[in-house]
Structure formats: structure tokens, C-alpha cells
Amino acid sequence: MRTIDETISVSSQITPAELTEIARAGFRAIVNNRPDEEEPGQPSGDAIRTVAETLGLSYHAIPVTHAGFSMPQVEAMRGALEGAGGPVFAFCRSGTRSTNLWALAEASRGTDPDTLVGKAANAGYDISSIRPMLDALSGQA
């Protein structure tokens, strides 16, 4: 798990069994940025959703493929972040897609792209490849 800021942490694929610890750590929502069956043996989104909801966590499936990001995905991530009522735990294969989607959602709220790039870098993610999108979404293009 890598903490980007007090509102979100990201990681690689999680299992349903790990959700108890995630809930104990104070997270309020889970965001799954992986499409089902991306890799053999990957837990299904439904399996993770069932356990998350049993633990009182909200669950959002916003799958991102290698085709890139769309505005509906950005808007869904923004909604998940705004409605979480506390810290969000997002995951994908490596945490990169989750970090990128978080940054795009935050840029759409007007957050400064330099701030987003810095937070991502502090967590070990280079999001410079999406900088033009961050600038455009934040109104700084």
C-alpha cells in the first residue's frame, strides 16, 4: 500500500481476506480499477464487493483497461472520492492506474497539477505522462 495523501492510498491487487485489515486501518471506501479476468487467478470484483460491504465499506468498480481513461471514469472516481466520507483505498494491478485516475479526478476539481504530480511522486508514481490531461482538466492548459 502506498499513501498518496490523507484521502487516498493505492495498491496492487487485493484479496477479499485483506479487506478486514483495510477496514481496521480506517478506510471507508474501496475502488477497484481492474477489469475482471485481467489476469488468471485474480479475485472477482463481486467477491471483493461482498466482503467490503459486509465490513461497512462502500465499493466502486471503475475498471480501467490499457485503452486509457475516459471522462465517465474520471467522473466516477471523483464521485467515489467525494462520497466516501473518509479515506479511500484504490487498487489495480500495480497501483499506477489508480493513481492516474485519482489525479485526473482531482484535476477535474481544480486541484493544481504540480501538487498532484508531487503527491504521486512522493508515493513512488510518475504521472508525468498524463500532465497534459491534468492541465486541461484543472483549467490550467
Side-chain angles (χ1 to χ4, degrees):
M1 176 182 77
R2 296 182 189 189
T3 300
I4 296 174
D5 67 17
E6 66 281 352
T7 66
I8 188 166
S9 294
V10 300
S11 80
S12 58
Q13 177 69 56
I14 61 172
T15 65
E18 292 171 305
L19 286 165
T20 300
E21 288 304 313
I22 291 168
R24 282 188 189 141
F27 290 96
R28 304 299 307 140
I30 302 295
V31 176
N32 179 355
N33 295 130
R34 284 194 92 177
D36 274 344
E37 301 178 17
E38 186 175 43
E39 289 182 353
Q42 167 188 337
S44 73
D46 284 341
I48 292 171
R49 173 192 302 272
T50 299
V51 175
E53 290 176 349
T54 299
L55 294 168
L57 300 169
S58 62
Y59 175 89
H60 308 273
I62 311 169
V64 177
T65 68
H66 296 292
F69 303 95
S70 68
M71 278 311 295
Q73 291 166 320
V74 172
E75 290 164 1
M77 185 66 156
R78 182 175 170 172
L81 293 166
E82 290 174 348
V88 172
F89 190 98
F91 71 93
C92 58
R93 189 179 60 79
S94 68
T96 301
R97 283 177 278 180
S98 295
T99 301
N100 285 333
L101 192 56
W102 159 81
L104 292 167
E106 288 298 306
S108 77
R109 294 173 50 169
T111 304
D112 178 60
D114 287 334
T115 300
L116 299 170
V117 169
K119 285 182 177 185
N122 287 339
Y125 294 100
D126 177 4
I127 63 170
S128 60
S129 65
I130 64 166
R131 180 60 190 255
M133 290 185 285
L134 296 174
D135 291 339
L137 285 169
S138 69
Q140 297 188 22

